[in-house]
């Protein structure tokens, strides 16, 4: 099957690589010439486990190609996937300019039947909007061509994108057209062999399903962070509570890890966009607004704990930071909690010595050269000579630490852990003060031991 994908970001590139790997012929189009040039050179613009291998294999066998040429991209595929960004607008609603630019390009260049497949996360009603945009462009051209627009939201997680795309729990397709349905069935047949994963529904429900899924997951996280904050104040341990509630299958263990707030390119923007959508139809989404507010507060928790541990004396201090990406196995720092922490530390007059296994270049790209940011090559380099340590991301390399060694490295024996990686008792045994999230032990103050 011939498939065109607009956008070679996390979603577009993974979709292109995976669909070509199961035998489809895929042409990926991006307006970012530098990105396409890198891809043509076999260089990955993002870090995603397994992606480079998949891309190279399918480029080599000729089933995966890249272009910046819109006309040939539109001519190529019967299916035209839209996988471009939908960043937040100033008021929090989804900015559809990139989606609609693709719609116009399709309208300008199409000469036969197409199914336009919206994979970007878009507000309810966008498929209609895309349909109308294409119809108007075709009308201007004096063309009367048949086409359908369907919604096919993506549920992959960064860091596990290929696995999620390949083995995801469901494939949602919103369409009222039998012809589009058959083509989508053909596209996803390789993923639908063992049990029926394809769920067809109306377009608006498919669009809302995506926001509902992300909002539900974000709600679970904010809920746990709220309980964690309570646990700290009540002298309870959130890790015991997490085990206790997760064992109830109605609640489950997934997405109930407390931490330093959810980040990434999606939960923050999608919760905001859904809240905005609700307002637009005259409904105050109070729960969603609270999910967002709790998350904002949680992102300040590491700084507050550190400031309290150091008696608010941060000026001139050097803080070691382990983990910059918003989660492990990605170099993505969009809305990462590490950014809130670093920016607060700089405002308070502290320096940051940071290490991340994959996000160093991304950090350099975002913040450039500055005196108060020192990027180092290992976790050891980060703590050597630092005053205290903060952990923002639960990369595997941070999980096992000799706490006696760590104590010797730090001028002030303070470890603030935004991911609850260690047993408080083990850390304390080495003479360190350990401030985790939602753990009664983390309430200890310097001088109390
Ligand atoms: N990142 C993720 O894990 C997931 C993202 N999504 C959704 O998928 C969409 C894409 O997200 P990402 O892949 O993260 O975005 P991204 O920002 O990584 O990539 C978007 C790409 O689209 C390109 N682009 C912009 N305008 C274009 C045009 N007119 N024609 C062709 N290419 C164009 C950009 O140059 C960029 O390379 C968003 O709506 C997002 O909410 C959904 C599920 C997971
Ligand atoms: O729409 C999207 O873009 C995607 O958003 C999330 O995926 P992603 O943002 O890549 O990463 P997650 O693993 O969901 O983590 C998001 C944030 O929540 C945090 N988190 C996650 C789980 C948890 O229990 N606690 C917690 O604090 C993570 O540290 C991270 O900062 C969803 O999990 C995907 O299903 C969805 O497709």
């Amino acid at each position: 099957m011939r498939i065109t994908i607009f956008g070679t970001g996390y979603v577009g590139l993974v979709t292109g690589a995976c669909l070509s790997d199961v035998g489809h012929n895929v042409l990926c189009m991006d307006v970012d010439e530098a990105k396409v040039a890198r891809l043509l050179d076999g260089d990955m613009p993002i870090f995603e486990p397994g992606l480079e291998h998949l891309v190279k294999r399918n480029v080599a066998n000729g089933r995966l190609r890249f272009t910046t040429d819109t006309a040939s991209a539109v001519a190529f595929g019967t299916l035209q996937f839209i996988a471009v960004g939908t960043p937040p607008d100033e008021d929090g609603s989804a900015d559809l300019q990139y989606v609609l630019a693709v719609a116009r390009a399709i309208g300008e260049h199409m000469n036969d039947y197409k199914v336009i497949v919206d994979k970007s996360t878009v507000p309810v009603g966008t498929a209609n909007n895309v349909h109308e945009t294409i119809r108007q462009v075709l009308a201007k051209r004096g063309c009367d061509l048949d086409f359908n627009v369907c919604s096919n939201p993506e549920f992959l997680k960064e860091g596990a994108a290929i696995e999620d795309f390949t083995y995801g729990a469901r494939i949602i397709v919103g369409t009222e057209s039998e012809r589009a349905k058959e083509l989508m069935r053909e596209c996803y047949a390789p993923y639908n062999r063992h049990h029926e994963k394809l769920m067809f529904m109306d377009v608006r429900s498919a669009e809302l399903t995506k926001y509902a899924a992300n909002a539900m997951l974000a709600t679970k996280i904010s809920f746990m962070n709220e309980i964690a904050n309570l646990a700290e104040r009540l002298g309870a341990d959130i890790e015991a509570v997490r085990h206790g509630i997760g064992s109830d299958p109605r609640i489950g263990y997934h997405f109930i890890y407390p931490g330093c707030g959810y980040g990434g390119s999606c939960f923050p923007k999608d919760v905001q966009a859904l809240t905005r959508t609700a307002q637009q139809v005259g409904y105050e989404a109070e729960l969603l607004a609270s999910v967002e507010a709790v998350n904002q507060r949680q992102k300040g928790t590491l700084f507050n704990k550190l400031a309290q541990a150091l008696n608010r004396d941060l000026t001139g201090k050097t803080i070691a930071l382990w983990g910059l990406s918003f989660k492990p196995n990605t170099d993505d720092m969009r809305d990462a909690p590490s950014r809130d922490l670093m920016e607060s530390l700089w405002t308070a007059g502290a320096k940051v010595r940071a290490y991340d296994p994959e996000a160093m270049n991304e950090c350099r790209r975002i913040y450039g050269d500055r005196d108060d940011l020192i990027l180092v090559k290992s976790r050891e380099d980060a703590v050597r000579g630092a005053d205290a340590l903060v952990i923002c991301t639960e990369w595997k390399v941070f999980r096992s630490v000799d706490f006696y060694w760590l104590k010797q490295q730090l001028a002030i024996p303070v470890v603030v852990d935004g991911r609850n990686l260690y047993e408080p008792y083990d850390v304390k045994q080495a003479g360190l003060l350990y401030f985790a999230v939602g753990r009664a032990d983390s309430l200890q103050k310097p001088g109390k031991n």
Side-chain angles (χ1 to χ4, degrees), residues 224-340:
M224 278 312 275
N225 285 334
E226 187 113 289
I227 300 295
N229 295 337
L230 264 177
E232 272 177 25
R233 286 158 179 81
L234 294 172
D237 181 358
I238 193 66
E239 290 305 314
V241 176
R242 181 173 62 76
H243 277 102
I245 64 170
S247 58
D248 182 337
R250 292 173 303 174
I251 296 173
Y253 284 110
H254 295 293
F255 277 75
I256 57 168
Y257 288 85
C260 41
Y262 59 73
S265 65
C266 291
F267 285 172
K269 87 166 165 59
D270 291 348
V271 170
Q272 276 174 36
L274 188 55
T275 310
R276 188 79 192 108
T277 295
Q279 279 167 359
Q280 284 161 356
V281 291
Y283 180 77
E284 265 327 300
E286 291 178 18
L287 180 59
L288 295 178
S290 300
V291 168
E292 158 79 5
V294 167
N295 196 54
Q296 275 310 326
R297 189 170 57 184
Q298 198 67 13
K299 281 187 160 178
T301 196
L302 296 183
F303 178 79
N304 291 339
K305 282 175 191 291
L306 184 68
Q308 201 180 340
L310 302 187
N311 295 321
R312 315 242 149 242
D313 181 18
L314 282 157
T315 317
K317 296 275 187 306
T318 298
I319 307 303
L321 177 53
W322 283 358
L324 292 163
S325 56
F326 81 98
K327 59 181 261 187
N329 300 325
T330 179
D331 59 354
D332 197 342
M333 284 182 66
R334 289 181 282 186
D335 258 316
S338 65
R339 294 176 68 166
D340 297 69

Side-chain angles (χ1 to χ4, degrees), residues 134-152:
I134 297 175
R135 195 196 60 73
Q136 283 176 13
V137 178
L138 285 175
K140 263 195 205 144
R141 285 174 57 201
C143 292
D144 183 20
L145 293 169
D146 195 12
F147 68 97
N148 293 109
V149 181
C150 63
S151 163
N152 171 218

Side-chain angles (χ1 to χ4, degrees), residues 42-316:
D43 186 18
M44 289 303 107
I46 50 169
F47 170 77
E48 183 60 45
L51 185 61
E52 184 168 359
H53 174 68
L54 216 57
V55 168
K56 284 191 170 155
R57 178 161 74 202
N58 290 288
V59 166
N61 66 33
R63 283 202 302 268
L64 178 61
R65 293 182 301 122
F66 300 99
T67 186
T68 52
D69 181 49
T70 311
S72 59
V74 176
F76 185 76
T78 307
L79 297 184
Q80 305 266 307
F81 278 82
I82 303 180
V84 297
T86 47
D89 229 331
E90 272 161 23
D91 65 355
S93 59
D95 179 353
L96 294 177
Q97 63 167 305
Y98 306 104
V99 170
L100 296 178
V102 175
R104 279 191 298 277
I106 293 172
E108 273 155 24
H109 296 286
M110 68 185 267
N111 285 311
D112 54 4
Y113 174 75
K114 303 284 180 199
V115 177
I116 293 89
V117 184
D118 186 12
K119 215 169 219 334
S120 297
T121 301
V122 290
V124 175
T126 302
N128 269 349
N129 200 346
V130 167
H131 193 281
E132 185 53 21
T133 302
I134 297 175
R135 195 196 60 73
Q136 283 176 13
V137 178
L138 285 175
K140 263 195 205 144
R141 285 174 57 201
C143 292
D144 183 20
L145 293 169
D146 195 12
F147 68 97
N148 293 109
V149 181
C150 63
S151 163
N152 171 218
E154 180 51 57
F155 298 97
L156 64 79
K157 299 184 292 299
E158 288 178 26
I162 290 165
E163 200 182 322
D164 285 351
F165 189 94
T166 310
Y167 305 109
R170 74 303 210 188
I171 300 164
I172 304 276
V173 177
T175 179
E176 278 89 34
S177 151
E178 283 305 318
R179 193 174 176 187
K181 214 183 249 185
E182 277 322 299
L183 286 164
M184 291 302 282
R185 201 176 267 293
E186 190 183 332
C187 171
Y188 284 115
Y191 301 93
N192 207 33
R193 295 251 184 271
H194 304 299
H195 63 271
E196 186 65 43
K197 282 204 252 177
L198 267 163
M199 292 183 195
F200 289 104
M201 57 181 73
D202 66 278
V203 181
R204 296 175 82 85
S205 301
E207 289 171 332
L208 185 56
T209 299
K210 172 65 197 177
Y211 280 103
N214 274 3
M216 169 65 100
L217 294 170
T219 302
K220 287 182 87 171
I221 298 167
S222 274
F223 175 83
M224 278 312 275
N225 285 334
E226 187 113 289
I227 300 295
N229 295 337
L230 264 177
E232 272 177 25
R233 286 158 179 81
L234 294 172
D237 181 358
I238 193 66
E239 290 305 314
V241 176
R242 181 173 62 76
H243 277 102
I245 64 170
S247 58
D248 182 337
R250 292 173 303 174
I251 296 173
Y253 284 110
H254 295 293
F255 277 75
I256 57 168
Y257 288 85
C260 41
Y262 59 73
S265 65
C266 291
F267 285 172
K269 87 166 165 59
D270 291 348
V271 170
Q272 276 174 36
L274 188 55
T275 310
R276 188 79 192 108
T277 295
Q279 279 167 359
Q280 284 161 356
V281 291
Y283 180 77
E284 265 327 300
E286 291 178 18
L287 180 59
L288 295 178
S290 300
V291 168
E292 158 79 5
V294 167
N295 196 54
Q296 275 310 326
R297 189 170 57 184
Q298 198 67 13
K299 281 187 160 178
T301 196
L302 296 183
F303 178 79
N304 291 339
K305 282 175 191 291
L306 184 68
Q308 201 180 340
L310 302 187
N311 295 321
R312 315 242 149 242
D313 181 18
L314 282 157
T315 317

Side-chain angles (χ1 to χ4, degrees), residues 436-449:
V437 178
R439 312 204 76 168
D441 276 332
S442 67
L443 288 179
Q444 62 190 332
K445 295 238 166 51
K448 276 204 172 169
N449 285 24

